[in-house]
Amino acid sequence: MQDLYVVSHPHAEHSEQDLVGGWYDSALTARGRRDAGLVAAELVRRRAGASRPVRITTSDLARCTETAQILAAALRVPVTADQRLREISFGEAGGRPNAWLAQRQVPAPDHDRLDHRGPIPGAETRREVATRVEACVRELMADTDHDHIVVTHGYALTFVITTWMMVPVEAVGFVSFATAPGAITHLRHDDYWRNRAMLGLADTSHLSVEP
């Protein structure tokens, strides 16, 4: 069995300040750092007796790299940062108040879910995000000598899952998996039957325990 754990970064400063995230580079809050420690402890517990060594790959944005470093210290493994795991870019809206974006954003219509860009200059399309995340995750999937931990963002997480499930980008126009700050999603590949399963989606039960 090969395991992939997807960690949604814990609480970050931009959310606390009600600012648009995306590529806006904010750090974890004190609560976020505490929760990252709880995620680390949970992953150490889950990996007790694991047969494969583990790799950590993270979005290169600060809220994810900070989380990944906390996990790495607990698991005693290095971290690789990869820009392809970034959140969707909201272009010029990044770092502005969420209310500013809400007044201007136009939701993607049903006939153009993948390529709708909207009126915000510099914003990414769903296809662009799905394609870059897919490229990163497929490289990890090819490394069958390791289990993997991926630290990423709420929107990008969906495409980590769809890539693992072998769903092509053309089919992800309406797919969305909800998560929460500090959540763990557990994916597994069965070496014998070759099935790709989701064993747990956005589990936050570990966050109710104080470190």
Side-chain angles (χ1 to χ4, degrees), residues 100-115:
W100 185 93
L101 178 59
Q103 292 169 2
R104 295 162 174 79
Q105 192 153 349
V106 177
D110 284 358
H111 69 275
D112 191 23
R113 298 286 299 180
L114 287 173
D115 297 312

Side-chain angles (χ1 to χ4, degrees), residues 21-24 86-92 94 121-125 129 132:
W23 289 15
Y24 178 66
R86 283 187 178 190
E87 184 60 293
I88 186 171
S89 173
F90 291 100
E92 291 184 1
E124 284 187 293
T125 66
V129 181
R132 60 174 166 80

Side-chain angles (χ1 to χ4, degrees), residues 19-170:
L19 302 179
V20 177
W23 289 15
Y24 178 66
D25 207 10
S26 70
L28 295 179
T29 62
R31 177 185 174 186
R33 290 189 292 274
R34 183 210 68 171
D35 286 353
L38 294 173
V39 173
E42 176 65 12
L43 290 173
V44 168
R45 185 191 69 80
R46 293 193 189 194
R47 285 196 46 77
S51 59
R52 285 181 169 92
V54 68
R55 290 176 54 192
I56 300 176
T57 308
T58 179
S59 160
D60 67 337
L61 294 176
R63 54 198 185 268
C64 285
T65 59
E66 190 175 356
T67 302
Q69 292 295 344
I70 293 170
L71 305 186
L75 290 159
R76 299 181 181 180
V77 296
V79 171
T80 300
D82 195 315
Q83 184 176 352
R84 294 174 294 180
L85 291 172
R86 283 187 178 190
E87 184 60 293
I88 186 171
S89 173
F90 291 100
E92 291 184 1
R96 293 178 181 266
N98 279 306
W100 185 93
L101 178 59
Q103 292 169 2
R104 295 162 174 79
Q105 192 153 349
V106 177
D110 284 358
H111 69 275
D112 191 23
R113 298 286 299 180
L114 287 173
D115 297 312
H116 173 80
R117 194 174 301 277
I120 310 299
E124 284 187 293
T125 66
R126 176 179 283 252
R127 184 191 300 275
E128 288 167 346
V129 181
T131 299
R132 60 174 166 80
V133 171
E134 179 188 55
C136 177
V137 175
R138 282 193 175 274
E139 290 177 9
L140 301 182
M141 289 163 60
D143 174 15
T144 57
D145 292 332
H146 291 83
D147 290 335
H148 295 276
I149 296 169
V150 168
V151 184
T152 190
H153 310 260
Y155 186 87
L157 168 135
T158 286
F159 308 115
V160 177
I161 295 172
T162 56
T163 301
W164 181 263
M165 297 292 190
M166 307 297 283
V167 179
V169 169
E170 290 294 336

